[in-house]
Amino acid sequence: MYLVDTNVWLERLLDQERSEEVGNFLAQTPAAELAMSDFTLHSIGIVLTRLGQPDALLRFVDDVFVDGGVTLVSVRPDSLHHVVDAMRRFSLDFDDAYQYAAAEQAGATVISLDADFDRTDSKRRTPGEAVGGSGNS
């Protein structure tokens, strides 16, 4: 299973530089193998609504969860110590540590464009690396 980081989803949604790489990853990876943290979902909600695109958020939720079957994972409050531990051990900020802890809890590999995950014991893969390409990491 892959836990897809916020920046990967936003790369595609906002049609940024590596959007095609992300699109290939999403097209080639079954939705049943994809997970997203609740932190990511809420972050995407913040970004899209700040950009004046609340309807894009609703379409995204429908595409990813309702029609797509991506798994939503969260770090329970009684497990928040795993997030703080990851912050300390790997010098991660809260959002990266949350993704790390959520992935660890779900037994998932982090898919991210953020090299900060390379400091962790589980590293990360780029979308391109996950489907066998170079990944531009």
Side-chain angles (χ1 to χ4, degrees):
M1 178 171 281
Y2 297 120
L3 183 113
V4 184
D5 193 15
T6 309
N7 58 50
V8 174
W9 296 108
L10 287 173
E11 190 78 14
R12 186 68 177 167
L13 284 166
L14 303 178
D15 196 26
Q16 295 175 330
E17 182 180 333
R18 294 173 70 176
S19 178
E20 185 176 335
E21 175 187 345
V22 173
N24 289 336
F25 165 73
L26 294 172
Q28 294 180 43
T29 308
E33 294 180 23
L34 300 176
M36 177 191 304
S37 74
D38 56 342
F39 191 97
T40 290
L41 175 60
H42 299 144
S43 296
I44 290 170
I46 290 168
V47 170
L48 291 177
T49 56
R50 281 188 180 160
L51 292 173
Q53 299 180 29
D55 291 335
L57 172 62
L58 296 176
R59 283 191 306 275
F60 175 74
V61 169
D62 282 345
D63 289 347
V64 171
F65 296 110
V66 177
D67 300 328
V70 171
T71 301
L72 186 67
V73 298
S74 63
V75 177
R76 295 175 41 105
D78 60 351
S79 296
L80 204 57
H81 60 91
H82 293 296
V83 175
V84 173
D85 180 56
M87 291 171 66
R88 291 178 177 146
R89 285 193 303 150
F90 307 118
S91 298
L92 297 175
D93 56 18
F94 180 84
D95 61 317
D96 290 343
Y98 190 97
Q99 302 294 28
Y100 172 86
E104 191 175 65
Q105 173 184 300
T109 299
V110 173
I111 300 296
S112 181
L113 302 172
D114 185 346
D116 289 343
F117 288 103
D118 294 342
R119 294 193 299 265
T120 69
D121 52 358
S122 60
K123 309 288 185 222
R124 54 102 192 199
R125 296 177 80 187
T126 66
E129 290 167 341
V131 294
S134 67
N136 297 334
S137 63

